[in-house]
């Protein structure tokens, strides 16, 4: 069964940092591009970042560029999102998604508040 | 103006058909884009329904019923998700998405809440 499981969310103060992880199983992780997508409470979906299967190509949304870093470890079947300089508007459920969204994890909630 | 605009809500009766539109901003030609559609129920992650560029370039999500189909309305510069034979289980939020190569980013639509009365 194809599965994505996010972890690492929690409550953090403005200006703080968090590292999200996404553990993949049930498919050949190294063959797939991956994305992070977030959803603020009661709001719509917002794409955050993309990384190609080989780590070679990376893209970010303007709202997070310079603060967030996407990475992956194909040997560990894992995707990561390092989030620095967090702001209240980064509060959201963060999902990892395979390719353009063929499979999604259940999400992990990040709350930025003092 | 948002890149992708969707009606905020739509209501229809069980068994009816529902046509959800995803209108691209002026200057962005729907003909050149694959339109992706997702369904999201409360408390759950989105689920991929289908993607549609043309009748020869389309993909149905795994296990997604054929009563969900995609098309385009070139005159309206819009992608369309058609749900035939609406069922109560189709009550959900629906999002469209494109890959905007000029910005190297995916863009989601504003979302449509579908209610089955």
């Amino acid at each position: 069964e194809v599965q994505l499981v996010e972890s690492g969310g929690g409550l953090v103060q403005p200006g703080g940092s968090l590292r999200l992880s996404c553990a993949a199983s049930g498919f050949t992780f190294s063959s797939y591009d991956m994305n992070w997508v977030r959803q603020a409470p009661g709001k719509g979906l917002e794409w955050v970042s993309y990384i190609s299967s080989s780590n070679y190509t990376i893209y970010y949304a303007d709202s997070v560029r310079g603060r967030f870093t996407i990475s992956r470890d194909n040997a560990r079947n894992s995707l990561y999102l390092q989030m620095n300089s967090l702001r209240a508007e980064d509060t959201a459920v963060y999902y990892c998604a395979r390719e353009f969204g063929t499979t999604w994890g259940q999400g992990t909630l990040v709350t930025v508040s003092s | 103006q948002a890149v992708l605009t969707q009606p905020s809500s739509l209501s229809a009766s069980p068994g009816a058909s529902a046509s959800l539109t995803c209108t691209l901003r002026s200057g962005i030609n729907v003909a050149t884009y694959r339109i992706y559609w997702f369904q999201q129920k409360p408390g759950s992650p989105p689920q991929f329904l289908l993607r549609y560029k043309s009748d020869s370039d389309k993909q149905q999500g795994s296990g997604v019923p054929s009563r969900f189909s995609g098309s385009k309305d070139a005159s309206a510069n819009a992608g369309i998700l058609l749900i035939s034979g609406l069922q109560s289980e189709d009550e959900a939020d629906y999002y469209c998405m494109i890959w905007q190569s000029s910005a190297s980013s995916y863009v989601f639509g504003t979302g449509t809440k579908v209610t089955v009365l």
Side-chain angles (χ1 to χ4, degrees):
Chain A
E1 178 192 5
V2 174
Q3 196 169 14
L4 298 170
V5 179
E6 301 93 339
S7 61
L11 175 63
V12 61
Q13 292 188 338
S17 298
L18 274 180
R19 189 194 194 207
L20 305 184
S21 299
C22 171
S25 60
F27 65 101
T28 305
F29 179 72
S30 59
S31 297
Y32 288 87
D33 303 338
M34 298 293 294
N35 286 276
W36 286 100
V37 176
R38 67 184 181 184
Q39 186 169 35
K43 302 297 184 182
L45 300 171
E46 180 187 15
W47 172 78
V48 172
S49 185
Y50 160 95
I51 187 167
S52 64
S53 58
S54 61
N55 260 315
Y56 191 73
T57 303
I58 287 174
Y59 300 121
Y60 296 100
D62 289 344
S63 57
V64 306
R65 187 176 294 112
R67 300 187 299 123
F68 289 11
T69 302
I70 191 172
S71 63
R72 65 190 295 162
D73 185 338
N74 287 340
R76 295 178 182 271
N77 292 332
S78 293
L79 175 72
Y80 306 101
L81 187 68
Q82 177 66 43
M83 305 186 296
N84 299 331
S85 303
L86 283 162
R87 307 166 179 166
E89 54 265 35
D90 295 318
T91 294
V93 174
Y94 285 73
Y95 298 101
C96 62
R98 189 177 77 166
E99 295 182 289
F100 49 80
T102 51
T103 302
W104 298 65
Q106 288 297 310
T108 187
L109 176 62
V110 172
T111 303
V112 184
S113 175
S114 55
Chain B
Q1 184 185 13
V3 174
L4 302 176
T5 301
Q6 300 179 247
S8 59
S9 63
L10 180 153
S11 297
S13 301
S17 293
S19 180
L20 282 65
T21 59
C22 174
T23 303
L24 280 65
R25 185 173 63 195
S26 177
I28 304 174
N29 186 354
V30 69
T32 63
Y33 287 90
R34 284 175 170 168
I35 310 292
Y36 302 84
W37 289 95
F38 300 90
Q39 176 193 68
Q40 186 179 32
K41 297 182 179 180
S44 295
Q47 177 190 358
F48 171 63
L49 291 176
L50 57 89
R51 74 173 187 206
Y52 183 91
K53 182 176 183 180
S54 66
D55 284 345
S56 60
D57 183 353
K58 61 183 180 181
Q59 177 185 354
Q60 196 83 354
S62 176
V64 175
S66 58
R67 57 193 187 82
F68 291 88
S69 61
S71 65
K72 290 180 178 178
D73 181 346
S75 64
N77 201 36
I80 296 171
L81 174 69
L82 179 67
I83 310 174
S84 304
L86 267 172
Q87 302 178 3
S88 58
E89 66 200 51
D90 298 332
E91 278 207 345
D93 294 327
Y94 291 83
Y95 295 92
C96 60
M97 183 187 78
I98 63 171
W99 170 255
Q100 198 173 16
S101 57
S102 60
S104 297
S105 70
Y106 283 107
V107 180
F108 284 96
T110 51
T112 297
K113 183 178 184 61
V114 170
T115 301
V116 181
L117 298 171

